[in-house]
């Protein structure tokens, strides 16, 4: 498990609007890469190009290259649905399926794809995914209850369990903690730290302390100006970005002297 | 800027907070005042009307409501404040309007029940009008029930798939011109008068099967013309209520779009869709004009065959009985009307069960 992502010369469009311009970066396997930057600079947009979720929006398109190990995921013969099975995603708002129980939510990836599996096999997958997501002890006695009955933090961990249950290579997280309280946030940060042993993880966050705590690499995005596309300003070891960044812009953002 | 207060600290220091506190207070009428006033007003109005010898229920109701509205507003303005007085006034007006809206409904239900109950029995429900001369004290609506059920069922069978799939297209796939065009035509279809739908189907059948060959199926097709736009509209609204995040959650798990629609979007919306479909059925089950033109108004025998011969239905039965005009015909018409209302109520009951069964479960 865990693959490297290599992005080169990526431009991301919504119709005619260029949202993110010319991004090249390498995302290391078994490590956490944080994307930071002000609102609207295209962090979510960029993140969603990594598992081809971007094209779900009307008229959205991309040019450039995204390599998953040695497969270009934007090659014409690649099926976006298959890409999304390899690269899981966790969203800002916890979004468990309201019609499903906790159990069914965890195995939703196979269930919705009509994959048959034995009861014991499913039980194993559910338990492993929930343990991976640090949620097993809290829900093991109510697996048949609906997922929407859990607290926000538990729902978000359920969504993480759902994402890891399909055993992806990469896990993308778009501000997974921004709707959560500090305790749940801590639980998720611990979870990220333990998941990085097996996955490549990208996390968008608005919280600089969080980026500093959980990530190994940090990428800083910024807008050249209003109406301008977002760009990758600088990327490197988290330590370095937060202590002595190469660019003045990065330093301004990190130290809060922005604009 | 200090954290304590932003009030200018002029004048006597002891006065400031005291005045501010008092300005927050306002008198309030005791809880029992409104009901007591209503009862009092009702008693006085009734008394006055009796004394003047002109007691009548409508007059009593109007007098009471008007007097009560004026008095409660005045009392509130005097004891409470202007905003509360307005609140009391508007509250009374809203309740009155609700009451007015309920009058025709309750009166209709009561009329149908009291007129229809007499003749509505097992016999009436289980026999047809076959061999019954118009004035004979016999006969029933079994054939009309059969027709109504068969025609409505067939109409639903046509309309639900077409309507639902159109709604799915509009919400999940439709873009640009085609989507706009379909939305426009669905709107136009909603406005088609039912008799025109009937006429259209008569012409259609004439073209394919020759004159005079209309049957139950023709009636069902005419009803689908009326039903499809209702199904499209209500399903479309329900599908739009399904959050985009759920669709994205499913895509992100590597689930293709069509499976996402079938297994995430539809189940999430199914309760609302069911209700919408039931409303659509209720809308067409009482249609008369198109059925008179298509399924016919003279059938007296039981006919389960949609594709052969005329078919009676409950609304048409009511229509043709009333046209005959004897006392016995009116009795049959009222009993049939009651039957129709009961069938619709049964439908809604079933719809509630179905949507409760499908609805997202919260706790078990
Ligand atoms: N679905 C969309 N259609 C058109 N423009 C969009 C859409 N989503 C985002 N954008 C635009 O793309 C830019 C980047 O947005 P986003 O990726 O959400 O920023 P961030 O996540 O960094 O706050 C913004 O200018 C935003 O207005
Ligand atoms: Mg964002």
């Amino acid at each position: 498990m865990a693959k490297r992502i290599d992005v080169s010369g990526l431009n991301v469009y919504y119709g005619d609007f260029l949202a993110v311009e010319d991004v090249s970066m390498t995302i290391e396997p078994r490590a956490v890469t944080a994307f930071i930057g002000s609102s609207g600079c295209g962090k979510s947009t960029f993140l969603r190009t990594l598992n081809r979720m971007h094209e779900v929006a009307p008229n959205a398109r991309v040019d450039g290259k995204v390599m998953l190990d040695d497969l270009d995921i934007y090659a014409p013969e690649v099926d976006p649905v298959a890409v999304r099975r390899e690269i899981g995603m966790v969203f800002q708002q916890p979004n468990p399926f309201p019609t499903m129980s906790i159990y069914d939510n965890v195995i939703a990836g196979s269930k919705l794809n009509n994959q048959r599996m034995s009861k014991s096999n499913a039980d194993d997958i559910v338990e492993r995914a929930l343990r991976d997501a640090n949620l097993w002890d809290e829900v093991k006695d109510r697996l048949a209850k609906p997922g929407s009955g859990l607290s926000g933090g538990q729902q978000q961990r359920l969504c993480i369990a759902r994402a890891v249950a399909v055993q992806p290579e990469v896990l993308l997280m778009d501000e997974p903690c921004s709707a959560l309280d500090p305790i749940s946030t801590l639980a998720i940060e611990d979870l990220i730290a333990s998941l990085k042993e097996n996955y490549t993880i990208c996390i968008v966050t608005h919280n600089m302390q969080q980026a500093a705590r959980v990530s190994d690499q940090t990428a800083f995005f910024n807008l050249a100006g209003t109406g301008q596309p977002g760009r990758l300003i600088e990327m490197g070891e988290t330590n370095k970005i937060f202590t002595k960044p190469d660019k003045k812009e990065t330093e301004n953002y990190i130290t809060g002297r922005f604009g | 800027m200090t954290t304590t207060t932003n009030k200018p600290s002029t004048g006597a220091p002891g006065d400031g907070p005291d005045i501010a506190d008092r300005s927050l207070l306002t008198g309030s009428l005791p809880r029992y005042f409104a009901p007591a006033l209503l009862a009092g007003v009702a008693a006085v109005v009734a008394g006055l009307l009796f004394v003047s010898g002109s007691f009548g229920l409508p007059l009593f109701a109007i007098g009471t409501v008007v007097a009560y509205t004026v008095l409660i507003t005045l009392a509130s303005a005097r004891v409470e404040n202007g905003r509360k007085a307005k609140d009391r006034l508007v509250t009374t007006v809203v309740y009155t309007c609700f009451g007015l809206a309920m009058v025709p409904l309750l009166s209709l239900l009561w009329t149908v029940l009291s007129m229809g109950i007499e003749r509505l029995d097992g016999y009436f429900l289980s026999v047809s009008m076959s061999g019954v001369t118009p004035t004979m004290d016999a006969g029933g609506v079994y054939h009309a029930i059969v027709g109504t059920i068969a025609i409505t069922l067939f109409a639903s069978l046509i309309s639900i798939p077409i309507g639902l799939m159109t709604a799915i297209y509009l919400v999940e796939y439709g873009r640009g011109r085609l989507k706009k065009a379909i939305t426009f035509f669905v709107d136009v279809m909603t406005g088609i008068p039912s008799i025109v739908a009937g006429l259209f189907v008569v012409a259609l059948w004439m073209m394919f099967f020759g004159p005079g060959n209309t049957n139950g199926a023709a009636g069902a097709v005419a009803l689908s013309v009326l039903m499809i736009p209702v199904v499209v509209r209500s399903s479309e609204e329900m599908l739009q209520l399904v959050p985009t995040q759920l669709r994205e959650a499913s895509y992100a798990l590597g689930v293709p779009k069509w499976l996402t629609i079938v297994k995430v979007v539809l189940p999430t919306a199914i309760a609302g869709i069911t209700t919408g479909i039931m409303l659509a059925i209720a809308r067409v089950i009482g249609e008369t004009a198109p059925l008179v033109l298509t399924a016919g108004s003279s059938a007296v025998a039981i006919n389960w065959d949609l594709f052969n011969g005329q078919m009676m239905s409950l609304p048409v039965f009511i229509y043709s009985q009333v046209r005959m005009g004897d006392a016995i015909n009116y009795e049959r018409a009222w009993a049939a009307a009651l039957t129709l209302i009961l069938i619709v109520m049964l439908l809604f009951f079933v719809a509630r069960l179905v949507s409760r069964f499908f609805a997202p479960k919260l706790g078990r």
Side-chain angles (χ1 to χ4, degrees):
Chain A
M1 278 199 287
K3 288 186 177 170
R4 176 191 317 274
I5 297 180
D6 241 310
V7 182
S8 49
L10 194 76
N11 293 312
V12 191
Y13 299 85
Y14 290 102
D16 293 331
F17 172 61
L18 177 61
V20 178
E21 187 177 28
D22 194 25
V23 174
S24 300
M25 67 163 73
T26 300
I27 296 166
E28 297 292 337
R30 292 173 210 280
V32 178
T33 304
F35 298 164
I36 60 173
S38 53
S39 268
C41 66
K43 305 178 298 293
S44 303
T45 303
F46 175 69
L47 190 76
R48 290 162 62 94
T49 59
L50 299 181
N51 68 340
R52 299 196 62 172
M53 283 293 284
H54 176 64
E55 62 212 65
V56 170
N59 298 323
R61 69 201 162 80
V62 162
D63 64 49
K65 235 184 192 177
V66 178
M67 304 292 290
L68 182 66
D69 277 359
D70 33 44
L71 171 82
D72 179 3
I73 63 169
Y74 281 97
E77 63 275 11
V78 170
D79 176 10
V81 172
V83 170
R84 293 178 201 138
R85 272 174 220 163
E86 300 259 294
I87 307 181
M89 187 158 199
V90 176
F91 298 83
Q92 183 168 359
Q93 290 293 332
N95 51 5
F97 297 116
T99 49
M100 294 186 194
S101 64
I102 293 174
Y103 186 98
D104 287 345
N105 259 291
V106 177
I107 50 164
S110 353
K111 235 182 125 83
L112 294 176
N113 274 315
N114 287 330
Q115 284 162 4
R116 300 236 159 269
M117 61 171 125
S118 68
K119 177 86 174 86
S120 64
N121 192 1
D123 286 350
D124 287 348
I125 292 176
V126 169
E127 178 167 352
R128 184 146 32 88
L130 285 173
R131 280 192 192 283
D132 281 352
N134 286 337
L135 190 61
W136 175 251
D137 291 327
E138 287 159 68
V139 300
K140 62 171 187 272
D141 301 321
R142 44 172 172 159
L143 291 174
K145 297 252 171 68
S148 39
L150 298 173
S151 77
Q154 290 172 327
Q155 286 189 19
Q156 193 62 300
R157 278 179 282 154
L158 178 60
C159 292
I160 295 175
R162 178 176 71 185
V164 300
V166 293
Q167 305 199 312
E169 308 286 345
V170 180
L171 205 53
L172 308 176
M173 302 184 171
D174 191 354
E175 300 185 36
C177 304
S178 65
L180 304 183
D181 64 281
I183 306 273
S184 310
T185 300
L186 216 61
I188 300 226
E189 286 180 11
D190 288 346
L191 173 57
I192 292 170
S194 67
L195 287 175
K196 85 171 180 193
E197 289 165 22
N198 295 315
Y199 300 93
T200 308
I201 295 178
C202 294
I203 177 171
V204 173
T205 175
H206 264 133
N207 181 330
M208 237 110 47
Q209 287 80 22
Q210 181 170 63
R213 277 195 301 263
V214 301
S215 70
D216 304 295
Q217 299 275 318
T218 297
F220 170 61
F221 287 80
N222 203 1
L223 287 173
T226 40
Q228 302 279 324
R231 295 161 189 273
L232 174 63
I233 302 298
E234 182 173 1
M235 180 170 177
E237 294 277 334
T238 299
N239 248 332
K240 175 162 181 299
I241 296 281
F242 277 89
T243 50
K244 38 181 195 313
D246 290 336
K247 301 259 168 68
K248 188 73 188 151
E249 261 176 290
T250 317
E251 191 182 331
N252 286 346
Y253 185 75
I254 302 282
T255 53
R257 272 182 282 124
F258 192 71
Chain B
M1 214 166 41
T2 59
T3 49
T4 46
T5 173
N6 54 5
K7 236 184 282 169
S9 52
T10 52
D15 259 349
D18 215 356
I19 288 169
D21 281 354
R22 232 180 292 135
S23 74
L24 292 178
L25 296 178
T26 167
S28 72
L29 293 167
R31 215 162 238 286
Y32 57 80
F33 183 80
L37 180 67
L38 183 59
V41 169
V44 171
V45 171
L48 282 177
L49 286 175
F50 268 118
V51 169
S52 67
S54 55
F55 187 85
L57 205 54
L59 204 56
F60 166 70
I62 293 170
T64 308
V65 167
V66 171
Y68 171 78
T69 312
V70 172
L71 287 177
I72 190 81
T73 311
L74 288 180
S76 175
R78 177 136 203 118
V79 179
E80 300 175 332
N81 55 28
R83 185 172 51 78
K84 282 202 174 178
K86 270 182 227 153
D87 178 42
R88 298 239 182 220
L89 174 66
V90 174
T91 307
T92 317
V93 170
V94 168
Y95 273 105
T96 309
C97 290
F98 170 70
L100 281 177
M102 292 307 285
V103 167
L105 177 67
L106 291 178
S107 138
L108 180 145
L109 281 180
W110 172 247
T111 314
V112 175
L113 194 68
S114 59
M115 306 285 258
I117 198 81
E118 205 174 322
R119 210 166 177 86
L120 188 71
D121 51 20
Y123 171 78
F124 184 75
L125 291 177
S126 60
V127 301
S128 72
M129 292 294 286
S130 182
V132 180
T133 57
T135 48
M136 221 159 106
D137 186 9
V141 283
Y142 184 61
H143 62 311
I145 295 177
V146 164
T148 284
I149 289 176
I151 291 174
T152 312
L153 220 62
F154 193 49
S156 310
L157 228 56
I158 301 171
S159 317
I160 294 172
I162 296 181
L164 194 55
M165 295 213 210
T166 308
I168 290 175
Y169 172 79
L170 287 177
V171 175
E172 305 288 339
Y173 294 95
R175 293 223 172 123
R177 287 253 175 87
L178 185 57
K179 175 177 172 166
K180 278 213 186 92
I182 293 179
T183 309
F184 174 74
F185 284 117
V186 168
D187 280 348
V188 171
M189 256 176 103
T190 316
I192 291 179
S194 58
I195 186 112
V196 176
L199 213 54
F200 161 73
V201 172
V202 170
L204 200 69
W205 249 244
M206 193 107 86
M207 215 159 77
F208 286 109
F209 309 106
N213 270 328
T214 52
N215 48 24
V221 171
L223 292 190
S224 340
V225 173
L226 302 170
M227 197 172 161
I228 288 171
V230 185
V231 175
V232 174
R233 262 294 124 94
S234 59
S235 309
E236 195 187 351
E237 261 157 46
M238 289 305 143
L239 291 175
Q240 263 158 359
L241 285 182
V242 176
T244 321
Q245 287 116 329
L246 287 186
R247 296 187 180 91
E248 295 200 334
S250 175
Y251 297 150
L253 290 168
V255 181
K257 184 162 184 170
W258 72 276
L259 272 174
T260 301
I261 294 170
V262 173
K263 302 187 100 176
V264 175
V265 178
L266 284 180
T268 309
I270 194 75
I273 291 177
T274 319
T275 312
I277 287 174
M278 288 302 159
L279 283 173
I281 293 177
R283 152 104 170 72
V284 299
I285 205 171
E287 277 299 343
T288 320
L291 292 184
V292 171
L293 293 186
T294 50
S297 59
S298 54
V300 291
I302 297 155
N303 177 13
W304 274 106
D305 189 353
L306 280 161
F307 300 94
N308 208 346
Q310 299 221 325
M311 220 170 193
M312 185 48 89
S313 56
L314 282 167
V316 177
F317 179 86
I318 297 168
Y319 164 78
S320 48
Q321 287 296 324
V322 169
R323 286 213 40 183
M324 287 179 216
D326 280 320
I328 173 81
N329 300 124
Y330 275 103
E331 275 178 31
R332 287 197 197 112
W334 282 114
L338 185 55
T339 313
L340 188 55
I341 287 182
L342 289 178
I343 290 179
V344 172
M345 280 176 151
L346 192 72
L347 253 172
F348 274 94
F349 181 68
V350 171
R352 291 304 292 233
L353 286 186
V354 170
S355 56
R356 181 159 315 166
F357 178 76
F358 282 124
K361 292 161 193 73
L362 296 167
R364 217 184 293 169

